[in-house]
Amino acid sequence: MLALLRIAKLVVFISSSLFVISLLPTHSVHSQDASPSGSNLGPITVRAHDTDNDAGGSVTVEWDDPGYEKMSGFAGFLIWRTNTLTGTSDSVEVTPFGTHSYDDRSVSDDSTYSYLVAALVNSERVMSAPSMQVRSAKQWFDSRLTWVLILGLIICGAVIYFIESAKRGTKLFLRRIAGLEAIDEAVGRATEMGRPILFVAGIQDMDDVQTIAGLTILGSIARTVAEYDTKINMPVRASLVMTAARETIKHAYVTAGRPDAYNDDMVHYVTDEQFGFVAAVDGIMVRERPAACFFLGAFFAESLIMAETGNSIGAIQVAGTAMPAQLPFFVAACDYTLIGEELFAASAYLSGEPRQLGSLKGADVGKAIAMIVILVGVIATTIASAWNSESMLWIENLLRKMFSTG
Amino acid sequence: MKKFLPWIILVALIIVVALLPKPLEISPTVSVIVTVLLGLALTGVLVMTMRGHLIGRRTVFLFIGASLTLPFFMNFQMPIKVAPEVQELYDAIAKLPPGSKVLAAFDYDPPSAPELQPQAEAFMAYAFKHDLKVIIMGLWPQGPQQADMAIQKVLQQPAIRAKNIKYGVDYVNLGFQSGNEFVIQRMGSSFRGMFPRDIYNTDCDKIPILNGVDNFSNIDFVFNLSSGYPGTVEWVQIAVDRYGVKLGAGNTAVQAPSVYPYLSSHKLTGLAGGMSGAWQFEQATGEPGVASTYVLPQTFSHMVVIGFIIIGNVALFVGYRKSRQEGV
Amino acid sequence: MKREIPLIITFVAGVAFVLQYFIPHYPFNRFENLFSDWFSIVGAFAIWLGALSLIKLCLLNISKKAHDWPISLLIIVCFLAIVVAGAIDGFNGLKNVPTTSFRDPGTNFDWLYQNVYTPLSATMFAILAFFVASASYRAFRARNTAATLLLLSAFFVMIGRVPIGDYLSAWLPPSWQLSQWANWLMAFPNTAGQRAVMIGIALGTVSTSLRIILGIERAHLEG
Amino acid sequence: MDSAIIGTWLAALLTLGIMSFLYKDNLYYKICEAIFIGISAGLWFITYFWDSLYRIAWIGVVHEGRYVLLGGVVLGVMMLMRLFGKIGWIARWPLAFIVGATAGLKMMVYFTTNAMAQIHGTVNDTMAAFGGSGLYDVVGRIVILIGTVTGLVYFYFSKEHKGLFGGVAKVGTWFLMITFGASFGYTVMSRMSLLLGRIDFLLTDWLKLVK
């Protein structure tokens, strides 16, 4: 049985090889005949295959140039396509100098195609043999992202593992973040002074994770505010944020047992315009003189205008953002600043919920991996370049491959 | 009396301005005197601060205002040196052969125009003079309008007017498309899908310059002028990372530091950052424009800010010594 | 049920959008575009809530004859003026062949945009210059090591980025001049700090996103 | 007077009005602020109307037959239910969808372009340090290595900043401070440029003092 199968395979192989061989010479002769006088360059070989990692509708054509590009009068390669189901042919594209592959995105997944590539030299066409038949297809997985998937699963797995173990009651150590105590202190001072607090959750919409982190912090601040019966004023720049912030504060008031003290106007929309919003916030600051200002979310250039105005009225200011460009201004003008990741961590800290804290531990695993990878990579490179170590070179290349995203 | 002081100053200022000759220009000698006076005033502030009188915000504001206004009337020349990342940007553009298709993404609005508009003008002038075909688009609603303003301005240059630049042949403005980075994403598969018509509602199939342009592989260079989100970061993340285009950028000075990592990882080919990037770019392309007239006021204001920082630190140091002496 | 459904929606949407990142196959390849379209449509509806909140507060001020009530009236007048101008310009534009936009040059909307909106927003942005100066006067003091480093690096970048930096250091060999120091500072130590912040932010985003998807972080959905 | 001159005067007066805030809060500023809020809120309102409701939803559904966009309309209408007390809770559904989708989308984008690409960049930079392209590069790339790793140590929450670990974290904060200083220094220039633009407008276009 097995022997039969082998024989069958051999027959197929030989006959197909013969078929290909029978085709080849005629075409190469043809192409040499057609080539411009004085040159005896070999044929252009063409391969066509389904474009990898895409949503279908695209075929990649690749070819080798035996040297036509170097000839004077070379004008480009013409790509010629035949739809083998309908038999229609058309030219697809003329590629410029130096290009040896082309993604034909005008194909249909329901047809099969065959491609020819012709070198255009002095208004002559030097044709290649036709490529094998090819059909484009959709892929279910982008194989370039394999390492992203693996590393992502490790980190997400770590986050979920620590969330679960925190849920089961495992004590997790996390160092304290300077600035978090300041939040309660600031609310307390506003209460003492009988002045309102001002909360700005950044100027981005709900499609920014920083805004959501800011709202979570708002949740715990609002609980304290509700208990102390302090006034809170929250101007917002996007209507969706307004709705979400109202939900957040309302929930805090309900939890604190004072649903009657809640009022929708605590959160009010001003304008979607960045600087119009700033003008309004500045106005609120100098007129209402809040005792504490919170700037937690995604900020842009307005960060310093608000923080300096807040500084000039002598408010306690706590800021936090993951916009690297704005951090310096908050650091310079505010009393406490949550730097980058600390903004995301703060919401978990303040909730005090073990599951939230567990997720921070998971992110730390990611940082540990990052540090180890960087250090291993550096040591491997050093050894590889100093002693020509093969195994170190292998590690170096593996790391490069793992983390290359392009 | 004190209540009316600002108004009196205001009225006096208006009278002075009305009496001034127009346009006003100060001779080099007077310029030097004004500079020295400004320096003396700063020294006065230093002495006051050392004696323990911290000056108020308003005095700082006044100094900044003066240091930015007065140099406009002065006559000085400052040498300009081109930074390597600006040179890299210029080299990348200069390497493009005539007829190359350049996608210019205008992702900023009027507030950032002082920094980015000069870069836009220098770029457009260079492109027109060297026969680069420019395709304009914007991820910010006001971006394409800024592009149009830059074009109208450079088209008035005699050398460019002589080239007989034609809309649709030498450049096209595709307008704004909402959707932030998703727009770039979709352009990766099809430009037409995202921009079926140009800003004037003309079908893109009828615009000669767009012939054969359907995705990033038909574009030789992308030049992005950006002042925030969406901007250069998104272009790097999607157009460069996923579609491998060559990208150069002009950024506001604030945005620039956050894209430096991409410059050293070679995802970004050249960067002009802020106003100094603008005048260096003007210098590199040989298109001196408005940025070059800002060199002097900019330098003055820098000096004043640095002066204030030094004053603050001298005061701190003197205060520190004093408190130690008193402690002993 | 009222509480569970939003959490289920969040979970399903979150997982679907993680998956679409890896799957080029239809319909996953359409998700990002679909989200951007849906998001801007929802935004267009939601802005009614915002605008009504703004107008309500202004009307409240006016009816109470609050201290600044004419200012509130001015806000409503300006709001309506540009909305009406934009609406009329837009509908007129639909009649043209080919259609024109409400923000084309020459429309009333454009006049308001150019002469009212632009100077206001540019000036609000520009007064930052004053605040930067007053903040640096106060904050850039060499109080401790960290503050000294902040001060020094700001100093080198500031002076290295204007011609006068090279003017002052002209006596040094070209590769040691102040602009080179500024370039080096921007290219290396600055990149290092940026990278640490960026990697931290990325991991913070991952853990926050997971908390959101798993329904642990849900302050915005309760109430 | 033609509308261009009125426009220039209006723009100049509004510019001065905003600047008067630097002296102190006053009626002139309040008026400019009110105009700004009203005009800009209206501007976004009408822009959303034409760009999203008309151009995406109406054209998309009615003219192009993309019925999938109706999903967005449904979510939008749910959002508006906020206005009607009883059924207002349904506004949480669109919110839940947007937040969930954002979380999924941003998680992967940040993970690849911020975390992975930056780790890759750091390893690559250090490798390039051995290329021997002069002191400038070699020292710089080693600085990148030290700065990135110590900076990450600062953001590590699971261990108290004490002893050697605390020392390393301290170096990390130094790098953060250098980064912040550089950004700040760079920004000073940028901000001056913006103000220059306004002063240029006042002096040139309005007062005509400068050519």
Side-chain angles (χ1 to χ4, degrees):
Chain A
M1 194 59 199
L2 212 69
L4 261 177
L5 205 73
R6 275 198 191 144
I7 292 169
K9 268 189 184 168
L10 199 69
V11 169
V12 171
F13 177 74
I14 292 172
S15 60
S16 61
S17 313
L18 278 177
F19 176 71
V20 170
I21 291 167
S22 71
L23 279 176
L24 271 178
T26 53
H27 278 277
S28 57
V29 166
H30 166 75
S31 62
Q32 267 170 359
D33 281 348
S35 66
S37 52
S39 77
N40 45 1
L41 294 169
I44 304 171
T45 43
V46 181
R47 293 168 307 280
H49 58 84
D50 171 39
T51 307
D52 296 326
N53 307 315
D54 70 345
S58 173
V59 166
T60 302
V61 186
E62 290 171 323
W63 60 94
D64 296 325
D65 171 38
Y68 291 105
E69 276 183 352
K70 295 202 184 77
M71 296 174 70
S72 63
F74 173 79
F77 289 108
L78 171 80
I79 296 162
W80 186 264
R81 174 182 67 190
T82 307
N83 183 330
T84 46
L85 286 188
T86 61
T88 52
S89 296
D90 53 349
S91 72
V92 185
E93 172 80 17
V94 176
T95 63
F97 184 88
T99 313
H100 296 130
S101 83
Y102 178 77
D103 288 354
D104 178 8
R105 289 174 202 265
S106 55
V107 296
S108 152
D109 287 358
D110 303 325
S111 269
T112 52
Y113 300 89
S114 171
Y115 288 84
L116 276 174
V117 170
L120 304 178
V121 184
N122 292 330
S123 75
E124 285 180 68
R125 290 179 177 189
V126 189
M127 303 283 253
S128 73
S131 72
M132 301 286 248
Q133 285 192 11
V134 62
R135 182 195 284 267
S136 65
K138 306 172 175 63
Q139 274 79 44
W140 279 105
F141 180 67
D142 188 339
S143 62
R144 288 166 301 180
L145 299 175
T146 314
W147 279 109
V148 175
L149 181 68
I150 293 171
L151 292 166
L153 281 178
I154 292 174
I155 289 170
C156 292
V159 173
I160 293 171
Y161 168 78
F162 282 108
I163 290 177
E164 286 303 316
S165 65
K167 214 157 68 180
R168 283 195 307 269
T170 315
K171 275 262 172 279
L172 300 173
F173 172 79
L174 285 166
R175 73 171 173 86
R176 56 177 210 95
I177 299 178
L180 287 186
E181 293 86 0
I183 291 183
D184 271 341
E185 186 193 320
V187 178
R189 201 176 91 161
T191 316
E192 272 168 37
M193 297 170 80
R195 296 221 301 245
I197 68 168
L198 180 84
F199 191 100
V200 181
I203 63 158
Q204 286 293 85
D205 211 330
M206 287 306 283
D207 64 340
D208 194 310
V209 183
Q210 296 178 58
T211 313
I212 304 171
L215 288 182
T216 314
I217 302 178
L218 170 72
S220 34
I221 292 178
R223 223 172 303 144
T224 324
V225 164
E227 280 160 15
Y228 291 173
D229 201 16
T230 320
K231 251 182 82 181
I232 183 167
N233 189 341
M234 180 174 175
V236 295
R237 210 217 76 173
S239 309
L240 286 173
V241 181
M242 179 181 79
T243 314
R246 283 178 175 172
E247 298 274 351
T248 309
I249 297 184
K250 198 165 158 193
H251 177 66
Y253 271 78
V254 172
T255 319
R258 313 197 54 236
D260 48 308
Y262 169 78
N263 173 3
D264 260 356
D265 295 336
M266 288 169 174
V267 184
H268 56 100
Y269 169 86
V270 182
T271 165
D272 268 74
E273 158 60 30
Q274 180 185 11
F275 289 104
F277 178 67
V278 179
V281 172
D282 269 9
I284 292 171
M285 280 197 223
V286 292
R287 279 159 226 153
E288 293 194 3
R289 305 210 152 250
C293 300
F294 297 97
F295 307 111
L296 300 162
F299 286 89
F300 290 85
E302 70 289 340
S303 62
L304 188 66
I305 306 184
M306 298 202 273
E308 268 294 288
T309 309
N311 188 293
S312 76
I313 58 166
I316 291 192
Q317 304 199 93
V318 181
T321 187
M323 306 302 280
Q326 301 310 321
L327 281 165
F329 305 114
F330 280 145
V331 169
C334 294
D335 300 282
Y336 297 95
T337 307
L338 301 171
I339 298 169
E341 197 189 351
E342 291 177 338
L343 170 72
F344 300 112
S347 63
Y349 267 95
L350 287 170
S351 74
E353 213 186 310
R355 289 187 299 169
Q356 298 239 18
L357 294 172
S359 72
L360 295 185
K361 203 91 176 170
D364 271 359
V365 172
K367 271 165 272 176
I369 292 176
M371 285 187 274
I372 291 168
V373 165
I374 291 173
L375 289 175
V376 167
V378 168
I379 293 167
T381 324
T382 316
I383 297 176
S385 66
W387 290 282
N388 280 328
S389 157
E390 285 287 327
S391 52
M392 288 298 151
L393 203 66
W394 182 83
I395 294 179
E396 180 188 326
N397 287 332
L398 175 73
L399 288 179
R400 270 189 208 235
K401 208 175 127 196
M402 274 170 78
F403 286 89
S404 109
T405 49
Chain B
M1 185 61 200
K2 215 183 160 193
K3 201 178 163 193
F4 294 106
L5 197 65
W7 295 107
I8 295 170
I9 294 175
L10 200 67
V11 171
L13 262 179
I14 291 170
I15 294 171
V16 169
V17 167
L19 290 177
L20 283 172
K22 285 162 199 173
L24 182 71
E25 215 169 285
I26 324 180
S27 68
T29 333
V30 183
S31 305
V32 172
I33 296 174
V34 172
T35 314
V36 170
L37 282 178
L38 207 63
L40 280 177
L42 265 181
T43 320
V45 173
L46 174 66
V47 173
M48 270 177 68
T49 320
M50 277 166 66
R51 288 197 179 155
H53 302 284
L54 275 182
I55 55 157
R57 293 150 43 88
R58 287 174 198 162
T59 320
V60 180
F61 295 164
L62 196 67
F63 269 96
I64 293 298
S67 71
L68 283 173
T69 316
L70 296 175
F72 266 102
F73 311 112
M74 292 183 182
N75 273 319
F76 277 140
Q77 279 296 324
M78 281 269 175
I80 294 174
K81 209 171 144 189
V82 181
E85 64 269 23
V86 182
Q87 192 64 44
E88 195 187 345
L89 175 65
Y90 170 73
D91 290 344
I93 296 172
K95 237 186 271 167
L96 297 170
S100 298
K101 284 180 178 158
V102 180
L103 181 72
F106 281 68
D107 303 331
Y108 64 98
D109 55 2
S112 311
E115 279 179 275
L116 295 178
Q117 203 67 9
Q119 297 182 19
E121 284 162 14
F123 171 77
M124 292 311 304
Y126 184 86
F128 287 157
K129 280 188 191 159
H130 295 81
D131 298 310
L132 303 178
K133 309 288 176 195
V134 187
I135 300 162
I136 292 157
M137 57 164 283
L139 298 177
W140 287 43
Q142 296 101 337
Q145 279 154 285
Q146 296 297 331
D148 203 45
M149 281 158 68
I151 290 167
Q152 295 314 327
K153 192 156 171 196
V154 300
L155 282 182
Q156 283 163 13
Q157 290 184 22
I160 291 171
R161 208 182 302 165
K163 288 224 121 186
N164 194 19
I165 300 294
K166 275 203 196 77
Y167 181 84
V169 179
D170 298 294
Y171 73 100
V172 68
N173 194 337
L174 296 177
F176 158 73
Q177 183 56 259
S178 64
N180 302 337
E181 63 265 39
F182 304 110
V183 175
I184 312 174
Q185 170 94 24
R186 275 201 231 183
M187 286 169 70
S189 46
S190 163
F191 274 29
R192 298 289 149 88
M194 214 63 264
F195 294 99
R197 285 171 290 275
D198 75 346
I199 199 169
Y200 303 106
N201 264 322
T202 313
D203 200 323
C204 278
D205 290 326
K206 293 183 188 130
I207 299 172
I209 185 177
L210 293 173
N211 243 332
V213 175
D214 201 49
N215 54 56
F216 286 122
S217 60
N218 315 119
I219 295 289
D220 300 299
F221 191 76
V222 178
F223 182 60
N224 173 235
L225 287 163
S226 148
S227 71
Y229 168 87
T232 304
V233 175
E234 284 67 35
W235 278 99
V236 171
Q237 287 180 350
I238 296 163
V240 177
D241 271 1
R242 295 201 196 169
Y243 299 105
V245 304
K246 216 170 165 128
L247 174 75
N251 274 202
T252 54
V254 183
Q255 161 107 336
S258 59
V259 301
Y260 260 84
Y262 298 125
L263 203 62
S264 59
S265 56
H266 299 290
K267 302 218 161 190
L268 196 59
T269 316
L271 171 75
M275 186 63 85
S276 76
W279 69 57
Q280 289 170 21
F281 188 62
E282 287 185 353
Q283 177 90 353
T285 55
E287 307 283 344
V290 66
S292 305
T293 66
Y294 287 170
V295 178
L296 207 54
Q298 180 101 23
T299 310
F300 265 64
S301 61
H302 272 221
M303 292 296 104
V304 168
V305 173
I306 289 169
F308 272 115
I309 294 172
I310 293 173
I311 290 170
N313 281 287
V314 168
L316 180 81
F317 186 62
V318 171
Y320 174 67
R321 263 206 335 208
K322 238 186 215 166
S323 66
R324 267 230 311 218
Q325 278 165 1
E326 279 160 12
V328 173
Chain C
M1 252 344 238
K2 250 191 207 175
R3 284 198 192 289
E4 273 80 51
I5 290 175
L7 293 181
I8 293 168
I9 295 176
T10 305
F11 180 78
V12 172
V15 171
F17 277 84
V18 170
L19 287 181
Q20 66 85 29
Y21 192 80
F22 296 97
I23 306 179
H25 202 284
Y26 180 87
F28 289 89
N29 61 331
R30 301 284 170 83
F31 277 17
E32 276 191 44
N33 301 341
L34 190 69
F35 177 66
S36 77
D37 283 343
W38 281 17
F39 184 68
S40 62
I41 295 172
V42 173
F45 279 98
I47 201 168
W48 283 80
L49 296 175
L52 287 175
S53 147
L54 176 70
I55 290 174
K56 181 190 151 195
L57 279 187
C58 288
L59 287 177
L60 219 65
N61 270 346
I62 296 170
S63 69
K64 279 197 295 197
K65 288 262 184 293
H67 171 58
D68 274 339
W69 71 267
I71 297 284
S72 298
L73 185 67
L74 184 61
I75 292 179
I76 295 185
V77 169
C78 289
F79 178 87
L80 292 178
I82 196 161
V83 168
V84 169
I88 293 175
D89 290 335
F91 280 112
N92 284 341
L94 291 185
K95 287 179 214 142
N96 295 343
V97 185
T99 55
T100 54
S101 160
F102 65 103
R103 43 169 110 74
D104 285 345
T107 57
N108 292 322
F109 178 91
D110 185 60
W111 193 89
L112 284 172
Y113 180 86
Q114 296 292 349
N115 296 306
V116 180
Y117 168 82
T118 307
L120 281 169
S121 109
T123 312
M124 199 64 214
F125 198 175
I127 64 169
L128 244 184
F130 294 107
F131 289 131
V132 164
S134 70
S136 18
Y137 174 57
R138 213 182 41 220
F140 282 167
R141 306 235 167 121
R143 275 181 244 106
N144 49 40
T145 321
T148 311
L149 285 170
L150 184 95
L151 167 72
L152 284 179
S153 99
F155 185 80
F156 275 114
V157 171
M158 255 189 287
I159 200 152
R161 294 271 154 168
V162 281
I164 198 147
D166 284 332
Y167 207 68
L168 288 176
S169 55
W171 50 278
L172 284 166
S175 55
W176 288 91
Q177 291 184 356
L178 275 170
S179 60
Q180 289 297 311
W181 285 78
N183 289 337
W184 188 84
L185 206 71
M186 290 303 288
F188 302 111
N190 174 54
T191 303
Q194 293 277 358
R195 280 209 173 125
V197 173
M198 277 162 93
I199 295 172
I201 288 171
L203 294 167
T205 308
V206 169
S207 78
T208 307
S209 299
L210 273 177
R211 291 202 295 269
I212 294 168
I213 294 173
L214 296 176
I216 300 173
E217 187 146 324
R218 50 167 187 240
H220 53 279
L221 290 177
E222 293 168 322
Chain D
M1 268 212 287
D2 70 81
S3 75
I5 295 178
I6 300 176
T8 307
W9 272 83
L10 189 59
L13 291 176
L14 291 171
T15 302
L16 290 177
I18 293 288
M19 284 190 179
S20 75
F21 180 75
L22 292 170
Y23 183 68
K24 66 174 192 191
D25 187 32
N26 60 70
L27 184 65
Y28 189 9
Y29 174 73
K30 276 186 198 166
I31 291 172
C32 292
E33 181 199 320
I35 294 174
F36 199 179
I37 294 173
I39 288 282
S40 61
L43 181 135
W44 277 86
F45 185 84
I46 197 74
T47 304
Y48 259 118
F49 178 79
W50 287 116
D51 286 351
S52 298
L53 274 191
Y54 178 75
R55 228 174 115 177
I56 297 180
W58 180 261
I59 298 245
V61 174
V62 177
H63 293 271
E64 291 164 3
R66 295 172 58 205
Y67 295 107
V68 67
L69 292 175
L70 284 175
V73 176
V74 170
L75 291 179
V77 171
M78 283 180 177
M79 204 74 222
L80 281 186
M81 289 303 148
R82 243 312 134 218
L83 293 172
F84 310 102
K86 272 253 169 76
I87 196 174
W89 52 267
I90 209 165
R92 277 179 217 149
W93 293 16
L95 217 51
F97 170 76
I98 286 167
V99 169
T102 299
L105 209 60
K106 293 287 157 89
M107 184 167 121
M108 290 323 299
V109 169
Y110 271 87
F111 184 65
T112 40
T113 45
N114 270 19
M116 296 202 28
Q118 294 310 324
I119 295 171
H120 188 244
T122 312
V123 176
N124 254 3
D125 273 339
T126 339
M127 288 168 187
F130 294 95
S133 44
L135 203 60
Y136 180 91
D137 261 12
V138 173
V139 176
R141 289 179 200 279
I142 292 170
V143 164
I144 289 191
L145 169 70
I146 298 170
T148 312
V149 173
T150 54
L152 280 174
V153 167
Y154 170 77
F155 286 114
Y156 198 77
F157 296 115
S158 301
K159 204 164 155 55
E160 194 71 68
H161 286 173
K162 271 188 204 150
L164 179 66
F165 194 78
V168 174
K170 182 131 204 163
V171 176
T173 55
W174 291 348
F175 270 95
L176 292 183
M177 286 301 146
I178 293 175
T179 304
F180 294 161
S183 294
F184 203 134
Y186 213 82
T187 310
V188 169
M189 184 169 69
S190 170
R191 298 320 183 208
M192 294 306 153
S193 322
L194 296 170
L195 189 51
L196 266 174
R198 290 325 288 165
I199 291 179
D200 191 11
F201 164 76
L202 290 177
L203 295 179
T204 312
D205 297 338
W206 184 47
L207 297 174
K208 309 223 183 298
L209 280 174
V210 179
K211 256 189 290 190

